[in-house]
Every structure is written in structure tokens, then in C-alpha cells.
Amino acid sequence: MTYHPKSDFMHIMMSRGYLADCTDYQGLDEALIKGVVPAYIGYDATAASLHVGHLLNIMMLRWLQKTGGKPITLMGGGTTKVGDPSFRAEERPLLTPAQIDANIAGMNRVFSRYLSYGAAAGDALMLNNAEWLDSLNYLDFLRDIGRHFSVNRMLSFESVKSRLDREQSLSFLEFNYMILQAYDFLELYRRHGCLLQMGGSDQWGNIINGIDLTRRVLDCELYGLTSPLLTTSDGRKMGKSQGGAVWLSAEMLSAYEFWQFWRNTTDADVGRFLKLYTDLPLDDCERLGALGGAEINGAKIILANAVTGLLHGDEAAQAAEATAREVFERGGVGDDLPRLALTPADVADGISVGQLFVRAGLAKSGKDAKRLIAEGGARLNDEIVLDAGQMIGAGELAEPVKLTAGRKRHALVTLG
């Protein structure tokens, strides 16, 4: 669809590549022009940290606040007890209330880097749907809310249909998830005047449910907006690296490793990622993304510094760049490299080089380490490793040992 937005927020969503679909382009655009629009994105607390896959939607909330809207980060303290079945092959493992609360605390620290929370009109709100879901009376909920849902229609949603088509079990617990998420939108409108729900395009069906429910119960108009599900130019799911998920918590992934993830961006993705993951002006993003040859490496450093600066602070970004220069340009070890600290007990009988690579997070398993070494991709203190079974003792760890996997992944091993 070709639509020319009038509001700053919709213009940014469309021009920078955030927008996949919208329930009513013109209606939402006009609401944004009229006044402050509260909008929310929901986050189930399934892990101790958010990861890069969440970052696109966090940036959408950031731009909403920068253009005068009111972001709401809705933590799924209630819905996490059920688990979103969307496009999953099996039911999520159930977490205890204590695990859920701990995960929410970890996630909240990330949001505060991107959004300004407070009591003013444009300040962001941090809410938890356990506030209204935990106290629901089951029979009242069935009568007042459940009657508005058609099972036939719920079964037609692709997120559910794909699971059933594969003849994979869908529990009644999970089937309730879309009703609870729809109820969230209704409650957020009642309590905070929330007009817009945003999310990835896989959430389209859940968003539509919330809009329809609120229209049926309160006869009001709400809006939905989705972002594309990103893959890199070489077809990989955005946010995945060789070492697994790219976490946004410094306790789970160092600022240096986070910086390196962005520095290693494929040339073809630089311009697009600058638009989506930084605040840099659109013209600068397009200019930097169009660079070729060796110049594109400078653009990648700008990308890595900008994204890392938002999350971890400018000092951490600069330290990561300095470490990278030390490692790559001068062959040093760098002060900011990820570290594996071993105890004397760990090396009492020696430890194999293969196990060092596994424990340092540079290989997923012993088999993966052996493959890396067999292919000539493993180095110890810049010397090629030839034997995964080579033993390293305490004497060889008197000074820090640098491990290298491929050309760009490094770690230091120290003996405490």
C-alpha cells in the first residue's frame, strides 16, 4: 500500500523500515497528530534478558517517545505462566513465579537504557499484566470475555493452524494465550487510554483479537502495527550468532562481544541496520550504507559504536573499539576481551585445547571444537592449533592465553 504519512512517528516507521502492516494507516496517523498516543508492546519473561531479536521493537517504542507518544512496556508476569504458542513446535517449559519475577527484573534494566520512565505525559510506563490477570475469576472471565471469541476463528490463525497441521499437540493452556493477550489490550485501554499495540508480524493475529475484543466490549477504535521479522542478507535469523543468542544484558554477553556482533555485520546489511538500530539521521544511514570496498568497514564501526552506545553507554562502545583495534591491528590481547577464569583444580591434570574452546564459548561442543581445529580455524596465542587433544597445564597459564576462533572471535583464559 502507498500511504503518505503526516505524523512524525508514522513517517519514521515507514522511511526507516520498521513497518510491515497496520490495521488503519490513516486512522492511526490522524490519532498521532491529534495528541499523545499511548502504545504498548508485550514481553513475556521467558529468559533473564532480552536479546537482539527484541531490539527492533524496543527502537519502535524509543521513536514513539521521541516523536511525542507514550510508550508502555508490558511485562508478561501473567501470560508467561501460560506461554505464547505462536509458531512454536512444542509447549514452553513452565516457570515458577520466582523465576518470572527475576527475569522481569533483568529485562527492566535493558528498557531503561532506551526509554525515559516517569509520571509526565510523555514518560514511558512499565506495567505487568499479572496486575489484572492474577486476580481473574474464571467463570466471570468466561462469561464476560470468552463469549466474544469464536473457536472456529481462533483455529484459523496461522500461528495455531501451522501447529495443528503438523499434528503437534496444542494444550488448552496455550490455546487460552490469545484470549489473555487480547484482554491485555482491553485493560490497557481502560486503565491508560492505550490506543495502539505493536509487535512483530507473527503477532498480527493476537493484535487483531485485542482490537476486536475491545470494539465488542467498549465500542471503541484501537490500532495495530507490526514490524517485519528480520533476517540478515545471507538468510540467517536476526539476533543469532555462532555462540547463540545475542543478549542485551552485560552479565550474559559482554559489551565487547555485543560490539563485535555489529562490527561483523554483512556489507549488504549495514545501511538497513543503521536505520533500524540507531538514532542516526536517515541521510547518514543511507550514505554510510552505500559505501563500498574498505570504506564499508568504517561504516560498520560507526554502526557498532552507535548500537553499543545506546545499550551499554558511549564509554563501553569506545573501550570495545579500542580492544578490537588492539586485537586485530596490533595482535595484542586487549583489556576488554571475554575471559575464562580457571581455578588450579580445573587444570590439576591438565585441560585439552578443545575443552578450552568449549568453556570459553568459542565452540558449542567438543565435536564443534574438533571441527574448528581440523579446519585450521583455531589459534592459541596466534599460533594455529593442530590437535584438539593437546593438553594445557598450569605452567602454560601463568600468563593469560588468547584463544581465537576464525578471524574475529577471541577470548582470554586466565588462571586464578
Side-chain angles (χ1 to χ4, degrees):
M1 170 184 176
T2 301
Y3 179 75
H4 300 288
K6 299 174 183 176
S7 67
D8 289 341
F9 179 70
M10 287 295 282
H11 175 72
I12 288 170
M13 289 299 99
M14 297 179 77
S15 63
R16 296 182 79 102
Y18 290 104
L19 185 57
D21 211 344
C22 181
T23 55
D24 181 353
Y25 289 83
Q26 185 172 345
L28 176 56
D29 202 22
E30 290 174 355
L32 288 159
I33 293 170
K34 287 179 184 176
V36 176
V37 169
Y40 91 98
I41 297 177
Y43 300 86
D44 279 346
T46 54
S49 170
L50 298 162
H51 55 72
V52 163
H54 294 109
L55 193 49
L56 184 87
N57 286 337
I58 296 174
M59 290 299 296
M60 292 167 70
L61 290 172
R62 179 176 173 84
W63 281 114
L64 178 77
Q65 187 166 47
K66 287 165 71 76
T67 55
K70 187 177 185 69
I72 299 173
T73 44
L74 180 65
M75 309 310 295
T79 44
T80 303
K81 297 171 184 175
V82 175
D84 185 359
S86 297
F87 300 99
R88 290 183 62 84
E90 56 189 20
E91 188 172 350
R92 291 182 184 273
L94 296 180
L95 303 179
T96 66
Q99 287 174 313
I100 292 171
D101 290 343
N103 288 349
I104 288 174
M107 294 163 70
N108 287 352
R109 289 192 289 272
V110 172
F111 287 117
S112 63
R113 297 293 309 178
Y114 294 90
L115 302 170
S116 174
Y117 291 90
D123 284 342
L125 288 176
M126 177 74 70
L127 303 175
N128 187 332
N129 62 16
E131 182 182 340
W132 51 85
L133 295 182
D134 279 3
S135 59
L136 285 177
N137 178 291
Y138 187 60
L139 290 179
D140 289 343
F141 185 72
L142 284 179
R143 184 192 62 201
D144 297 338
I145 302 300
R147 66 190 179 88
H148 294 293
F149 288 83
S150 161
V151 171
N152 307 60
R153 186 162 181 269
M154 291 165 72
L155 289 172
S156 72
F157 284 120
E158 187 61 32
S159 58
V160 174
K161 188 171 179 291
S162 62
R163 180 98 157 252
L164 298 178
D165 287 346
R166 294 192 299 267
E167 298 184 356
Q168 291 164 333
S169 174
L170 179 71
S171 71
F172 180 69
L173 176 70
E174 293 175 286
F175 196 55
N176 277 268
Y177 184 91
M178 64 180 74
I179 301 178
L180 296 176
Q181 184 171 328
Y183 185 67
D184 282 345
F185 205 172
L186 172 64
E187 280 297 310
L188 287 171
Y189 176 76
R190 279 175 169 161
R191 295 166 182 246
H192 302 282
C194 183
L195 296 177
L196 171 64
Q197 182 182 356
M198 301 189 291
S201 57
D202 60 333
Q203 293 298 312
W204 181 255
N206 289 331
I207 292 172
I208 295 297
N209 273 335
I211 292 172
D212 288 347
L213 174 64
T214 309
R215 184 187 296 120
R216 290 171 185 269
V217 175
L218 298 177
D219 191 27
C220 66
E221 188 66 35
L222 301 181
Y223 306 97
L225 185 153
T226 59
S227 60
L229 295 180
L230 284 190
T231 57
T232 58
S233 59
D234 54 5
R236 289 179 291 113
K237 186 176 179 180
M238 181 58 190
K240 297 292 184 181
S241 72
Q242 289 179 315
V246 180
W247 300 106
L248 303 185
S249 164
E251 289 76 27
M252 297 175 69
L253 187 78
S254 71
Y256 173 78
E257 290 171 291
F258 184 78
W259 188 94
Q260 273 296 324
F261 171 79
W262 297 99
R263 171 61 182 83
N264 294 339
T265 295
T266 305
D267 293 2
D269 290 325
V270 173
R272 182 168 58 132
F273 287 178
L274 283 163
K275 293 177 187 177
L276 294 173
Y277 297 110
T278 80
D279 293 337
L280 294 177
L282 189 61
D283 288 347
D284 289 349
C285 297
E286 292 176 344
R287 176 181 58 80
L288 291 166
L291 295 174
E295 289 185 321
I296 195 67
N297 290 325
K300 292 179 184 181
I301 291 173
I302 291 172
L303 170 66
N305 283 340
V307 182
T308 305
L310 282 176
L311 178 61
H312 295 294
D314 290 336
E315 285 189 14
Q318 291 162 10
E321 182 184 357
T323 295
R325 291 189 189 282
E326 176 72 15
V327 171
F328 301 133
E329 294 179 7
R330 293 190 288 275
V333 296
D335 294 330
D336 201 29
L337 283 181
R339 290 175 182 257
L340 167 64
L342 298 176
T343 66
D346 291 327
V347 294
D349 298 318
I351 184 171
S352 71
V353 173
Q355 279 303 303
L356 283 181
F357 275 83
V358 173
R359 293 190 58 174
L362 299 178
K364 296 178 181 178
S365 63
K367 183 178 179 180
D368 188 35
K370 288 179 181 177
R371 179 195 55 77
L372 177 71
I373 291 167
E375 294 174 353
R379 291 176 181 267
L380 190 151
N381 287 338
D382 298 321
E383 296 292 331
I384 294 177
V385 177
L386 301 175
D387 179 9
Q390 176 185 340
M391 299 302 290
I392 302 295
E396 293 157 290
L397 291 168
E399 297 291 333
V401 169
K402 183 174 77 169
L403 303 180
T404 302
R407 290 185 302 163
K408 301 177 180 179
R409 299 169 60 224
H410 307 266
L412 285 183
V413 182
T414 59
L415 184 62

Coordinates of all heavy atoms in Angstrom, one line a residue, residues 50 99 108 203 233 289 311 325-326 384 396 407 409:
L50 N 16.5 -9.8 27.6 CA 16.1 -9.6 26.3 C 17.3 -9.9 25.3 O 18.4 -9.8 25.8 CB 15.5 -8.2 26.0 CG 14.3 -7.8 26.9 CD1 14.2 -6.3 26.9 CD2 13.1 -8.5 26.3
Q99 N 11.0 -17.3 39.3 CA 11.8 -17.2 38.1 C 11.3 -16.1 37.2 O 12.1 -15.4 36.6 CB 11.7 -18.6 37.3 CG 12.5 -19.7 37.9 CD 12.3 -21.0 37.2 OE1 11.2 -21.4 36.9 NE2 13.4 -21.7 36.9
N108 N 13.9 -5.3 32.8 CA 13.7 -3.9 33.1 C 14.9 -3.0 32.9 O 14.8 -1.9 32.5 CB 13.1 -3.7 34.5 CG 11.6 -4.2 34.6 OD1 11.0 -4.6 33.5 ND2 11.1 -4.3 35.8
Q203 N 2.8 -11.6 15.5 CA 1.7 -11.2 16.5 C 0.5 -10.6 15.9 O -0.4 -10.2 16.6 CB 2.3 -10.3 17.5 CG 3.4 -10.9 18.4 CD 2.9 -12.0 19.2 OE1 1.9 -11.9 19.9 NE2 3.6 -13.1 19.2
S233 N 21.0 -10.5 5.4 CA 21.1 -10.7 3.9 C 21.5 -12.1 3.5 O 21.2 -12.5 2.3 CB 22.0 -9.6 3.3 OG 23.3 -9.8 3.8
G289 N 25.6 3.3 4.3 CA 25.2 2.0 3.8 C 25.6 1.8 2.3 O 25.8 0.7 1.9
L311 N 23.0 0.9 24.3 CA 22.7 -0.1 25.3 C 23.7 0.0 26.5 O 23.2 -0.1 27.6 CB 22.8 -1.5 24.6 CG 22.6 -2.7 25.6 CD1 21.2 -2.7 26.2 CD2 22.8 -4.0 24.8
R325 N 40.8 -2.8 18.0 CA 42.0 -2.3 17.3 C 43.2 -3.0 17.8 O 44.1 -3.4 17.1 CB 42.1 -0.8 17.4 CG 41.0 0.0 16.7 CD 41.3 1.4 16.7 NE 40.2 2.2 16.1 CZ 39.9 2.3 14.8 NH1 40.7 1.7 13.9 NH2 38.9 3.0 14.4
E326 N 43.3 -3.1 19.2 CA 44.5 -3.8 19.8 C 44.6 -5.2 19.3 O 45.7 -5.7 19.0 CB 44.3 -3.7 21.3 CG 45.4 -4.5 22.1 CD 46.7 -3.7 22.1 OE1 46.7 -2.5 21.7 OE2 47.7 -4.4 22.4
I384 N 48.4 -21.5 15.1 CA 47.4 -22.5 14.7 C 47.4 -23.7 15.6 O 48.5 -24.3 15.8 CB 47.5 -22.9 13.2 CG1 47.3 -21.6 12.3 CG2 46.6 -24.0 12.9 CD1 47.4 -21.9 10.9
E396 N 51.6 -23.3 31.7 CA 51.3 -22.6 30.4 C 50.3 -21.5 30.6 O 50.1 -20.7 29.7 CB 50.9 -23.6 29.4 CG 52.0 -24.5 28.9 CD 51.4 -25.8 28.3 OE1 50.8 -26.6 29.1 OE2 51.6 -26.0 27.1
R407 N 38.4 -15.6 12.4 CA 39.2 -14.4 12.4 C 38.8 -13.3 13.4 O 39.6 -12.5 13.7 CB 39.1 -13.7 11.0 CG 39.9 -14.5 9.9 CD 39.8 -13.8 8.6 NE 38.4 -13.5 8.1 CZ 38.1 -12.6 7.2 NH1 39.0 -11.8 6.6 NH2 36.8 -12.4 6.9
R409 N 36.6 -13.9 16.5 CA 36.1 -14.3 17.8 C 37.3 -14.7 18.7 O 38.1 -15.5 18.4 CB 35.1 -15.4 17.7 CG 33.9 -15.0 16.9 CD 33.0 -16.3 16.5 NE 32.5 -16.9 17.7 CZ 32.5 -18.2 17.9 NH1 33.0 -19.0 17.0 NH2 32.0 -18.7 19.0

